[in-house]
Amino acid sequence: MPDPTPTDRALQALSDSIGGARTRRPEDATDPDVPVAATVVLLRDGRDGLEVLMIERPDRGSFAGAWVFPGGKLEDADRGADHEPEQDVARRAGVRETHEETGLALDTDALVTLSCWDPPPGLALRIRTWFFVTPADAGALTLSADEAVDAEWLRPADALARHGRGGFTLYPPTWVTLHGLAEHADAESVLGAVRLRGVQRFETVARRGGEGPLLLWQGDEEWEADAGGAASGSRHRLEIGALPWRYQRTE
């Protein structure tokens, strides 16, 4: 039997983790004991449309072999005044991490908050992550060998297609973010939509469905375990039991 690929390992880790998940509580989304991270979606207008910068993690650690946006955990040096909003600390962390991993210098004020992702409660490893978007400044990439083994500017739809074929490892927040970006023609379209819509919050619930693991978010009729009443048919979920993944969201 061939050795499992990074994508195989990621799918298995996601599936195994669901067994430890529990029902969400209101305080889970702001639990101070959960580590916090920031990630930055760098945008540019390529010859064939919108492109994003993605880096490939080394084949070790929590996201071994995965393709991600630059980012990492908040550090003490990122903090300013006492009781500063977590989002503001995360914005500085995103700038720092992007520079450390890619060599690109960003303007903190140019980062627009896209979303905040809170993993399913009850998992052994939980990291609450803030996602930011910003246009990419011109400059050569200088990858940190400890953090990235490769980097590519990709159209979001192309990244999703490669993942669907099994040769490109993505984790759910990255996948869903790419899915949302794929509908935009250029960076200005993305930034305008994000400013109009505001910050999206993804407070994740993990379940097992008939075809494998499901990740649910607010707006899905099954997001609340004890939700009663007639079925509404509303959906906000990602089916990750097999490739290609399937995202459903009814507005």
Side-chain angles (χ1 to χ4, degrees), residues 166-182:
F168 196 73
T169 303
L170 297 173
Y171 276 80
T174 308
W175 193 101
V176 173
T177 300
L178 288 166
H179 185 276
L181 293 172

Side-chain angles (χ1 to χ4, degrees), residues 136-161:
D137 292 330
L141 296 178
T142 305
L143 299 182
S144 167
D146 293 334
E147 301 287 352
V149 296
D150 198 2
E152 290 189 50
W153 286 97
L154 294 168
R155 294 193 311 161
D158 292 341
L160 293 174

